[in-house]
């Protein structure tokens, strides 16, 4: 098979999209969405009006007061069909084949991704969140498997 060739312009665009962005000094998802949007916008990152949408799982890392960033931790392509079914194409690992998954709505997609990536609770950072192109995924919610904390209990 012929390898896919990448142009210098597309390589620059990928670096602009996937390079860390300065995070807000907050643990609130809304503040981080705004920081990510502003960071991408300042780099000229835009999204074409297309049937295919980029889905990005965003991680917040705060290594120190000077190192507070947001970065794309996982990405895939969302392909809505005419009947409303959503298809999500992802590559989980280099040694694994691409995977095509089917969802009935964006909340199902959110649950699938958050069950895999929203696993570190109690940190001084924002929990992972999902972007569809440059907006918070409609139907996004935190990990549905998280157990609520019981006050005064174990």
């Amino acid at each position: 098979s012929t390898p896919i060739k990448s142009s210098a312009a597309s390589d620059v665009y990928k670096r602009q999209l996937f390079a860390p962005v300065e995070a807000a000094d907050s643990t609130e998802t809304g503040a981080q969405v705004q920081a990510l949007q502003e960071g991408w916008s300042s780099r000229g990152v835009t999204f074409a009006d297309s049937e295919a949408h980029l889905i990005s799982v965003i991680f917040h890392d705060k290594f120190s007061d000077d190192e507070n960033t947001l970065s794309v931790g996982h990405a895939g392509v969302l392909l809505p069909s005419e009947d409303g079914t959503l298809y999500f194409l992802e590559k989980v690992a280099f040694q694994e084949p691409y995977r095509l998954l089917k969802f009935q709505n964006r909340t199902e997609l959110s649950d699938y991704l958050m069950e895999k990536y929203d696993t570190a609770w109690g940190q001084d950072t924002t929990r992972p969140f999902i972007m569809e192109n440059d907006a918070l995924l409609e139907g996004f919610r935190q990990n549905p498997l998280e157990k609520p904390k019981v006050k005064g209990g174990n």
Side-chain angles (χ1 to χ4, degrees), residues 40-148:
W40 279 348
S41 178
S42 72
R43 295 176 183 173
V45 173
T46 60
F47 294 88
D49 185 20
S50 169
E51 295 287 323
H53 297 198
L54 176 66
I55 299 296
S56 307
V57 179
I58 307 299
F59 292 107
H60 180 197
D61 293 308
K62 188 171 185 179
F63 298 111
S64 70
D65 289 340
D66 297 332
E67 294 180 271
N68 185 22
T69 60
L70 301 169
S71 58
V72 176
H74 181 69
V77 178
L78 182 64
L79 303 162
S81 68
E82 289 182 13
D83 70 359
T85 302
L86 302 173
Y87 294 94
F88 182 63
L89 180 66
E90 68 176 343
K91 184 145 179 82
V92 178
F94 292 112
Q95 70 275 18
E96 298 290 325
Y98 284 92
R99 184 181 304 171
L100 182 65
L101 303 166
K102 179 178 169 182
F103 298 99
Q104 295 306 308
N105 56 57
R106 283 168 170 79
T107 300
E108 283 186 7
L109 172 61
S110 175
D111 289 351
Y112 164 74
L113 290 169
M114 289 297 94
E115 286 172 16
K116 287 174 56 172
Y117 297 106
D118 184 16
T119 59
W121 303 304
Q123 306 295 314
D124 65 346
T125 57
T126 307
R127 289 172 60 180
F129 57 95
I130 304 170
M131 300 292 284
E132 181 172 352
N133 290 339
D134 59 352
L136 186 66
L137 177 73
E138 183 180 321
F140 166 74
R141 65 182 180 179
Q142 298 296 337
N143 189 340
L145 299 179
E146 179 183 7
K147 304 287 187 242

Side-chain angles (χ1 to χ4, degrees), residues 3-16:
I4 297 173
K5 294 191 179 179
S6 179
S7 71
S10 71
D11 287 346
V12 167
Y13 188 81
K14 283 185 263 184
R15 282 193 299 272
Q16 291 170 332

